[in-house]
Amino acid sequence: MTTITAKIQLYVNESQAESLRLTSKTYQKACNWLSEKVVVSKNLNQLQLNNLYYKELRQRFGLKSQMAQSVMKTVIASYKSAQSNGHEWSLVHYKSAQANGHEWSLVHYKHPSYDVVWNRDYSLNERLFSVNTLDGRIKLPFEVKGMQKYFNDDWKFGTAKLVYKFNKWFLHIPMTKGIPLLKEQDVNNVVGIDVGINFLATSYDSKGKTTFFNGRPIKHKRGQMKTTRKALQKRQTASARKRIRAIGQRENRYVRDVNHQVTKALVKRYPKGTLFVVEDLTGVRQATEKVHVKNRYVSVSWAFYQFRQLLEYKAQLYGHKVIVVSPKYTSQTCPKCGHVDKRNRNKKTHTFTCVNCSYQSNDDRIGAMNLYRKGIEYISDTVTVKV
Ligand SMILES: [Zn+2]
């Protein structure tokens, strides 16, 4: 997600300028009035403020319903951001106020301004800016140059601020770009990814190509760390415990690093529009089943889960899609003839030999091939595509 703020100049005639002046000045007064209440009550709860002040805001200032709501939101947001550091404000300055022994700074709105909610107070298209004022809705032309590319479904407009500066009217609009999701009919490549210990990840793609992302360094390194940790555990001293914690943290960082590298390599390797198929290995039980008993200590499900999360996040950025499927039988099914049999797999030698058709391969590759097949089934269930 990307958010940028566009600042566009509005072109207003005299009567429109009058409406904007009246509305933004009234809005400013209402904000200052509410601010004086809030600094005493120290209440920033929208619902409670609504119960206490909504009616009075409307009566006293002649605000429309939506404007009264916005005034409360503006004041709440100002106090929240005044309480956290590092804010930047041109419209507001503070005066000290003493309240109930604890000091809260009074937020004072120095200039007329008006916060407008998208689709309620305002709308914007390639030609006109339409906004609610106290005199009713007005439509204004604006400086379109540079704005054209934002008028599409990719960009969402947020709550904007109407600002009067240098004798001109401006609209500050926060615009957010969502990442478009890959649709099933746009999938042009399917990749099965088997996540295991011997090879951290094995991928099998639409061209029948298998790629191994080597996980041996991980296994080796974590093995070393485990030996050191065991030696330290026997010592039972404060410094030993401290070092154990440090090793644990280093280990996590190391796994995270490798997960980052491998997921990045995967999303970059395949063309935009790839459907990645991974197993749901979130349960520890399933995760440990995947590895040999003597290696069980290296099989922690959080590492697999992290792998999946990083893959999903990066896939989105690159225009891919990830689906998660049940790990049932992925290691026992023959990708050639579909025969399911425990005896197909030899865990000791990491080989797969189909007892039905004698197809032979490395067992990590079999997992990736079966996941690939599930991906093909998935998209042909949804739409017909050529892969
Ligand atoms: Zn077979």
Side-chain angles (χ1 to χ4, degrees):
M1 287 234 297
T2 318
T3 301
I4 54 173
T5 301
K7 298 181 178 179
I8 53 173
Q9 192 187 337
L10 306 169
Y11 300 121
V12 293
N13 64 34
E14 205 31 60
S15 82
Q16 290 170 332
E18 194 46 54
S19 296
L20 292 184
R21 259 198 299 278
L22 173 71
T23 308
S24 57
K25 272 192 178 164
T26 309
Y27 195 89
Q28 176 198 8
K29 278 183 199 160
C31 284
N32 279 325
W33 177 82
L34 186 62
S35 178
E36 306 241 346
K37 306 281 178 202
V38 163
V39 81
V40 177
S41 70
K42 294 174 186 169
N43 187 349
L44 294 179
N45 181 292
Q46 168 102 26
L47 190 70
Q48 285 169 17
L49 289 186
N50 192 71
N51 291 340
L52 288 166
Y53 305 119
Y54 172 78
K55 265 196 189 142
E56 198 171 350
L57 273 172
R58 291 200 63 183
Q59 281 162 6
R60 193 182 270 262
F61 300 98
L63 296 180
K64 298 184 176 186
S65 165
Q66 178 62 36
M67 283 181 202
Q69 300 288 348
S70 290
V71 163
M72 291 185 271
K73 279 191 185 139
T74 299
V75 173
I76 291 168
S78 299
Y79 275 92
K80 283 192 173 159
S81 109
Q83 285 166 341
S84 62
N85 289 324
H87 58 269
E88 189 191 321
W89 255 343
S90 53
L91 297 168
V92 179
H93 84 108
Y94 313 100
K95 274 191 302 191
S96 244
Q98 198 74 30
N100 301 339
H102 302 283
E103 205 166 313
W104 265 37
S105 295
L106 174 73
V107 174
H108 179 74
Y109 300 84
K110 256 166 71 175
H111 303 288
S113 76
Y114 172 27
D115 290 339
V116 286
V117 178
W118 168 251
N119 252 345
R120 291 204 175 186
D121 302 310
Y122 85 99
S123 64
L124 192 73
N125 62 31
E126 284 97 326
R127 291 185 310 110
L128 289 171
F129 164 60
S130 166
V131 65
N132 254 336
T133 71
L134 290 172
D135 301 324
R137 195 163 266 269
I138 57 170
K139 290 178 181 181
L140 317 165
F142 61 94
E143 178 56 62
V144 184
K145 211 177 138 199
M147 268 302 284
Q148 293 100 327
K149 60 175 179 247
Y150 301 111
F151 292 108
N152 55 55
D153 290 342
D154 290 352
W155 291 90
K156 304 265 173 288
F157 296 156
T159 295
K161 194 178 265 302
L162 229 118
V163 180
Y164 185 67
K165 241 182 188 176
F166 316 119
N167 300 318
K168 288 170 187 158
W169 286 96
F170 295 91
L171 185 68
H172 297 181
I173 323 165
M175 305 185 300
T176 305
K177 189 185 187 178
I179 300 151
L181 289 172
L182 176 67
K183 297 185 185 83
E184 273 85 18
Q185 63 264 27
D186 297 328
V187 169
N188 54 39
N189 185 35
V190 175
V191 174
I193 306 170
D194 184 83
V195 186
I197 293 301
N198 286 305
F199 294 94
L200 182 73
T202 309
S203 69
Y204 184 86
D205 63 35
S206 289
K207 287 179 184 144
K209 197 170 163 25
T210 310
T211 313
F212 296 102
F213 296 85
N214 202 345
R216 280 192 204 282
I218 263 205
K219 194 175 152 190
H220 178 66
K221 196 145 190 170
R222 297 189 75 190
Q224 277 182 328
M225 289 177 185
K226 198 203 171 197
T227 313
T228 319
R229 193 166 41 197
K230 268 202 164 163
L232 287 166
Q233 263 157 1
K234 283 188 190 135
R235 291 196 355 223
Q236 293 286 345
T237 62
S239 78
R241 275 193 292 275
K242 206 172 155 189
R243 276 193 64 198
I244 289 170
R245 258 203 312 280
I247 288 174
Q249 283 164 1
R250 195 161 9 115
E251 209 175 334
N252 293 356
R253 272 200 305 275
Y254 185 72
V255 171
R256 188 178 177 81
D257 237 39
V258 176
N259 271 343
H260 260 301
Q261 283 166 24
V262 173
T263 51
K264 192 174 167 189
L266 277 162
V267 297
K268 283 179 100 171
R269 181 179 182 84
Y270 295 105
K272 196 179 164 187
T274 293
L275 178 76
F276 289 111
V277 189
V278 291
E279 287 174 300
D280 184 6
L281 292 174
T282 46
V284 182
R285 193 187 60 82
Q286 286 148 332
T288 48
E289 258 173 22
K290 283 198 62 90
V291 278
H292 205 267
V293 182
K294 75 172 168 116
N295 296 329
R296 189 161 280 176
Y297 69 92
V298 276
S299 60
V300 265
S301 69
W302 71 262
F304 291 126
Y305 184 63
Q306 183 183 65
F307 175 89
R308 185 179 129 192
Q309 276 190 316
L310 290 172
L311 184 71
E312 278 174 344
Y313 167 72
K314 284 176 192 164
Q316 230 184 29
L317 292 178
Y318 279 79
H320 307 308
K321 186 183 168 79
V322 178
I323 57 164
V324 181
V325 298
S326 155
K328 233 178 183 176
Y329 310 125
T330 41
S331 55
Q332 303 169 13
T333 308
C334 171
K336 289 291 164 201
C337 72
H339 182 74
V340 183
D341 203 311
K342 260 190 180 168
R343 293 171 298 158
N344 283 350
R345 188 185 181 198
N346 186 331
K347 287 187 182 182
K348 274 192 184 128
T349 57
H350 290 293
T351 48
F352 178 98
T353 313
C354 179
V355 293
N356 183 46
C357 74
S358 309
Y359 178 74
Q360 242 189 357
S361 187
N362 167 290
D363 65 352
D364 287 317
R365 185 163 175 267
I366 295 293
M369 285 173 92
N370 282 324
L371 290 167
Y372 165 80
R373 204 174 35 78
K374 286 191 178 181
I376 297 288
E377 278 166 19
Y378 170 82
I379 46 171
S380 38
D381 279 352
T382 353
V383 273
T384 319
V385 280
K386 254 177 114 182
V387 182

